[in-house]
Amino acid sequence: MKLVVISAGLSLPSSSRLLADRLTDTTRRQLTADGHDVDVHVVELRDLAADIAHVMVAGFPGPELSDVLEAVEEADGVIAVSPVFAASYSGLFKSFVDVLDNTTLAGKPVLLAATGGTARHSLALEHALRPLFAYLRATVVPTEVYAASEDWDTAGGSADALADSVTLAGRELAALMGARPATTESVEQQLPALTGPCGQEASG
């Protein structure tokens, strides 16, 4: 099974990448326990920032970004992690989503996660990220994971709560990926009522 992990952290290392790695480990362990071979492809959007900006202006991606877009298209599941800026996902994260074809994530299991300075920014998951991926018709994992700065303190109770959320979300993603039927049909063939020619939404 193919798992693509998208981290929109800007620093090196970043808390977004750290959270992405934890979610990846949990998901991979569960898939392996369920008898699946797992191929993980980690994408650091900070390394693709110039390519993403270029495709938004020029209209076509370079080779590296093309490979990433193809990997997302072929993935059986996706983990997407963004830092929270101004009560929403980062501009880099949204720009990457904007260059995806509008059918790429349709029906695909996606685990959403975010990082921020304080717990109050966790609302961005429910009010920004989830609506965005619902619009793209992704199958969003029920459990969202948010990590504030204090959640990385291994001596605190919040670290235990984060670990529990990571475990639950990873297991949910693994279950959705494992239950997803293997198919070579295009998204347009699978969702004829939702898409028209060239991936455009069919009119009512």
Side-chain angles (χ1 to χ4, degrees):
M1 306 204 82
K2 296 180 180 180
L3 174 63
V4 171
V5 183
I6 300 166
S7 171
L10 298 179
S11 59
L12 189 64
S14 69
S15 57
S16 292
R17 177 59 188 270
L18 180 58
L19 181 56
D21 287 345
R22 290 193 179 188
L23 292 165
T24 301
D25 288 343
T26 298
T27 305
R28 178 165 40 196
R29 283 198 304 270
Q30 186 62 52
L31 285 168
T32 301
D34 293 339
H36 300 290
D37 293 327
V38 187
D39 178 19
V40 177
H41 184 164
V42 179
V43 179
E44 285 276 12
L45 294 186
R46 65 186 299 276
D47 297 332
L48 296 169
D51 288 344
I52 293 170
H54 179 268
V55 72
M56 296 185 75
V57 174
F60 57 90
E64 187 175 1
L65 182 56
S66 292
D67 290 344
V68 170
L69 296 177
E70 182 178 355
V72 176
E73 175 74 34
E74 296 177 350
D76 296 293
V78 174
I79 295 173
V81 187
S82 174
V84 175
F85 295 139
S88 187
Y89 36 69
S90 71
L92 177 60
F93 183 86
K94 181 57 165 59
S95 294
F96 175 73
V97 172
D98 285 345
V99 302
L100 293 173
D101 185 88
N102 63 358
T103 62
T104 294
L105 296 175
K108 197 181 300 290
V110 177
L111 193 168
L112 298 177
T115 59
T118 64
R120 64 193 178 96
H121 294 304
S122 63
L123 292 174
L125 278 164
E126 194 65 32
H127 294 288
L129 275 85
R130 185 173 286 273
L132 173 63
F133 283 82
Y135 171 77
L136 295 169
R137 303 193 296 278
T139 302
V140 180
V141 168
T143 300
E144 305 156 338
V145 181
Y146 177 81
S149 297
E150 61 266 23
D151 294 331
W152 302 109
D153 182 3
T154 57
S158 59
D160 294 334
L162 175 60
D164 290 344
S165 296
V166 167
T167 298
L168 179 58
R171 289 175 176 173
E172 290 174 349
L173 177 60
L176 287 173
M177 290 175 63
R180 193 166 184 250
T183 179
T184 57
E185 290 182 329
S186 68
V187 174
E188 287 81 0
Q189 290 172 309
Q190 296 175 50
L191 301 172
L194 295 179
T195 56
C198 301
Q200 296 178 349
E201 294 183 2
S203 57

